[in-house]
Amino acid sequence: MVNEIPKQSGTAFKLKKGEKLRVIDPLGQQVSDLVLFNAQDIREKISSGKTLDFEETIFITKGHYLWSNRSNKMMEITEDTNGRNDFLLAPCSPETFSIMYGHKGYHPSCFENLYTHLAPFKIQPDDIPTAFNIFMNVQVASNGQLSVDPPTSKAGDYIEFIALMDVIVGLTACSAEDSNGGSFKPIQYEIRATH
Amino acid sequence: MVNEIPKQSGTAFKLKKGEKLRVIDPLGQQVSDLVLFNAQDIREKISSGKTLDFEETIFITKGHYLWSNRSNKMMEITEDTNGRNDFLLAPCSPETFSIMYGHKGYHPSCFENLYTHLAPFKIQPDDIPTAFNIFMNVQVASNGQLSVDPPTSKAGDYIEFIALMDVIVGLTACSAEDSNGGSFKPIQYEIRATH
């Protein structure tokens, strides 16, 4: 069954070891932030620093693992039809919009959408780590400068993960104009047991 | 007063808002991992994802800020005579040596040296974030591949920070062969009040 995350919102759910998660960009050029927690002990969670270290690349895609702060493999990426994701930048937050873009007033954000949906699992805002930013197209210039370009994902592109431990997943349809070329779109996901 | 952190070890201390911290590479080509916690509430801590996001570069140096997971500025870098630091990779840990390098048996690590010295501040191993890796020379190839090269720091090079809130600092003399060109050396640091 394909589930839909409406634009600028999020969800959270459990995934058992061995289950597969497919995250789909139904319309193209949309970003989805993913965070992971060990379902048995939420103090173990996805770590950008550990993942970049063990995988020895900033471009995490098919064949790579998502590692935890305890140096365990949480998920493997088994498919990635787009092939470009980001694991450098924090989820967009109210401060992203107020400090970086001078936005006044309320703005939805992945950070809020993550902690709101993860609250039933006793996960608090301070616990939200740097997310794995699916489909996010961050370019690194030779002088180190970072720029956020529109995603290269086309309608129907997807990435698939297999859980290597029981995990709690937080997942969004990104709220940032910058990440998706100024358009807000839904994200779809599908959970499948492996046989 | 200049303090010395012996090779392959670490320390932790409080720094008040407005105080300056200078971290010195006395012999050259040595790395020092730095982590920060809000001294009033240790759930606020240094964040690589927030820092890379707000500073819009992977090369964090003089004039940049170290940001927290709550989107607050924790420190400003006021001097940096070497100019190359890393904020991508996790502190070296026992698993760095066993998984990446096939090392058998005990190996000192920045991770252990950080959590051991931060324990008196009620900071636990799971709380250790991706460190700001002072003097660490990580190269990013155009295809995203990461490599750890010997530091470019020469004897006497230093970086200086000013605290923008009361912080608890964890600081190491790095234990990884890979980070310092195969030699283990001390790190020095100096704390000064500003007038």
Side-chain angles (χ1 to χ4, degrees):
Chain A
M1 192 187 76
V2 174
N3 305 279
E4 186 155 301
I5 305 173
K7 65 177 183 178
Q8 295 189 302
S9 72
T11 187
F13 50 86
K14 282 193 180 180
L15 200 66
K16 285 195 181 303
K17 181 178 175 176
E19 285 184 325
K20 285 192 164 183
L21 169 67
R22 182 177 289 201
V23 179
I24 305 152
D25 183 354
L27 303 176
Q29 295 203 332
Q30 175 56 310
V31 165
S32 175
D33 278 12
L34 172 112
V35 292
L36 301 172
F37 297 83
N38 176 340
Q40 266 75 56
D41 181 352
I42 60 170
R43 291 175 56 82
E44 179 168 19
K45 56 189 174 184
I46 191 170
S47 165
S48 58
K50 288 285 184 187
T51 300
L52 300 182
D53 206 356
F54 285 125
E55 299 300 334
E56 300 183 86
T57 176
I58 57 170
F59 296 137
I60 303 299
T61 181
K62 182 176 176 176
H64 293 136
Y65 297 93
L66 301 178
W67 294 77
S68 78
N69 58 331
R70 293 184 189 164
S71 296
N72 293 314
K73 295 172 179 174
M74 302 189 84
M75 277 182 162
E76 180 184 351
I77 303 176
T78 52
E79 299 288 346
D80 187 2
T81 64
N82 175 50
R84 174 57 74 112
N85 312 288
D86 171 69
F87 211 175
L88 300 178
L89 303 185
C92 65
S93 65
E95 295 81 9
T96 308
F97 300 106
S98 62
I99 297 174
M100 298 188 74
Y101 304 127
H103 181 82
K104 306 287 184 199
Y106 177 76
H107 195 299
S109 67
C110 285
F111 182 67
E112 180 187 2
N113 286 325
L114 289 170
Y115 77 70
T116 304
H117 289 90
L118 288 164
F121 299 100
K122 311 290 183 202
I123 292 162
Q124 300 182 325
D126 283 332
D127 300 327
I128 304 293
T130 297
F132 181 61
N133 303 307
I134 299 167
F135 307 128
M136 191 173 185
N137 183 10
V138 174
Q139 297 288 334
V140 185
S142 56
N143 68 354
Q145 287 291 311
L146 295 169
S147 56
V148 179
D149 289 357
T152 55
S153 50
K154 297 174 297 299
D157 270 330
Y158 64 87
I159 186 169
E160 195 170 82
F161 309 87
I162 184 166
L164 303 177
M165 63 172 70
D166 295 349
V167 288
I168 298 160
V169 179
L171 194 67
T172 71
C174 183
S175 301
E177 287 80 353
D178 224 30
S179 301
N180 51 35
S183 68
F184 302 114
K185 295 167 187 152
I187 283 288
Q188 295 178 340
Y189 68 97
E190 196 176 4
I191 297 169
R192 290 184 300 125
T194 48
H195 302 290
Chain B
M1 191 188 77
V2 175
N3 306 280
E4 184 153 303
I5 305 173
K7 65 177 182 178
Q8 295 190 301
S9 72
T11 188
F13 49 87
K14 282 193 181 180
L15 200 66
K16 286 195 182 301
K17 180 178 176 175
E19 286 184 324
K20 285 193 164 181
L21 169 67
R22 181 178 290 202
V23 179
I24 305 152
D25 183 355
L27 302 175
Q29 295 204 331
Q30 176 56 310
V31 165
S32 176
D33 278 12
L34 171 114
V35 292
L36 301 173
F37 297 82
N38 176 340
Q40 267 75 56
D41 180 354
I42 60 169
R43 292 175 56 83
E44 178 166 22
K45 57 188 173 183
I46 192 170
S47 165
S48 58
K50 288 285 183 188
T51 301
L52 300 182
D53 206 357
F54 285 124
E55 299 300 334
E56 301 184 85
T57 176
I58 59 170
F59 296 137
I60 303 299
T61 181
K62 182 176 175 175
H64 293 135
Y65 297 93
L66 300 178
W67 293 77
S68 79
N69 58 330
R70 293 183 189 165
S71 296
N72 293 315
K73 295 171 179 173
M74 302 188 84
M75 278 183 162
E76 180 183 352
I77 303 176
T78 52
E79 299 289 346
D80 187 3
T81 65
N82 175 51
R84 174 56 75 111
N85 311 288
D86 171 68
F87 212 175
L88 300 178
L89 303 185
C92 66
S93 66
E95 295 81 8
T96 309
F97 300 106
S98 61
I99 297 173
M100 298 187 74
Y101 304 126
H103 181 83
K104 306 288 184 198
Y106 177 76
H107 195 299
S109 67
C110 285
F111 182 67
E112 180 186 1
N113 286 324
L114 289 169
Y115 76 70
T116 303
H117 289 90
L118 288 164
F121 299 100
K122 311 289 183 204
I123 292 163
Q124 301 184 323
D126 283 332
D127 301 327
I128 304 293
T130 297
F132 182 60
N133 304 307
I134 298 166
F135 307 129
M136 191 172 183
N137 184 11
V138 174
Q139 297 288 335
V140 185
S142 56
N143 68 355
Q145 287 290 312
L146 294 169
S147 56
V148 179
D149 289 358
T152 55
S153 50
K154 297 174 296 298
D157 270 330
Y158 64 88
I159 185 169
E160 194 169 81
F161 308 88
I162 185 166
L164 303 176
M165 63 172 71
D166 295 350
V167 288
I168 298 160
V169 179
L171 193 67
T172 71
C174 184
S175 302
E177 287 79 354
D178 224 29
S179 301
N180 50 35
S183 69
F184 303 113
K185 296 168 186 150
I187 283 289
Q188 295 177 339
Y189 69 97
E190 196 175 5
I191 297 169
R192 290 184 299 124
T194 48
H195 303 289

